[in-house]
Amino acid sequence: MRFKLCCLFIGFICGYLMISWMPEVDPFRFTNFITEFIFNPLKSFLAMTSFFVGFLANAILIRSAVEEIVFYLSGHEVRLGELIVSYGVVANFYFLFQMNVILTGLFLIFSIVYGMMSIDLQRKRKFKNNL
């Protein structure tokens, strides 16, 4: 439970930092965007690092939420508190969408794709007494 709460907090903080450190180019032109990345290497590196760490943290929560719903529907025992914390990722993305729609959309897509790729439904069946 604490691990999921940490992932929830880290996912939001990294998403917020990524949005604040990304260069704003309005209207969007690819050449201006790349130029901003080149001339601000520290902010660019920090934004990419926070993007990577944040989408991994959110992907863990998405994977956990999907796995827990599947196990709940199949009749296995699931902790309700952990399920609620896993669905806290929806609140994370809601608040991030209020800040920047495009960057949060990319953040969400990467998190969902990686979370779905890492689902392992056989793992908990072997160790179902772990609950």
Side-chain angles (χ1 to χ4, degrees), residues 2-131:
R2 278 187 243 156
F3 177 70
K4 289 182 183 178
L5 283 172
C6 287
C7 285
L8 192 65
F9 181 72
I10 289 170
F12 179 75
I13 294 298
C14 286
Y16 174 76
L17 292 175
M18 182 259 314
I19 289 171
S20 65
W21 285 332
M22 280 290 208
E24 291 187 26
V25 180
D26 202 26
F28 185 79
R29 290 193 179 142
F30 188 71
T31 55
N32 293 347
F33 184 73
I34 294 298
T35 304
E36 288 290 324
F37 259 87
I38 291 171
F39 288 138
N40 294 322
L42 180 62
K43 282 177 71 174
S44 301
F45 176 74
L46 292 175
M48 288 184 286
T49 304
S50 64
F51 178 83
F52 182 71
V53 171
F55 96 76
L56 287 178
N58 287 325
I60 289 170
L61 292 172
I62 290 170
R63 179 194 68 204
S64 174
V66 170
E67 285 178 349
E68 288 171 357
I69 285 295
V70 168
F71 290 127
Y72 178 75
L73 293 176
S74 66
H76 290 84
E77 184 179 339
V78 177
R79 293 181 183 158
L80 184 62
E82 289 190 17
L83 184 63
I84 291 171
V85 170
S86 295
Y87 277 98
V89 75
V90 174
N92 273 356
F93 283 112
Y94 173 76
F95 291 119
L96 291 175
F97 267 114
Q98 301 300 317
M99 291 181 239
N100 191 326
V101 174
I102 295 172
L103 292 177
T104 305
L106 289 172
F107 199 52
L108 176 66
I109 289 169
F110 273 83
S111 297
I112 288 174
V113 167
Y114 188 74
M116 292 298 169
M117 284 185 346
S118 62
I119 288 178
D120 184 18
L121 297 176
Q122 299 297 322
R123 180 185 58 196
K124 283 194 178 180
R125 288 187 187 149
K126 293 177 187 172
F127 305 106
K128 65 181 175 184
N129 293 330
N130 243 353
L131 297 173

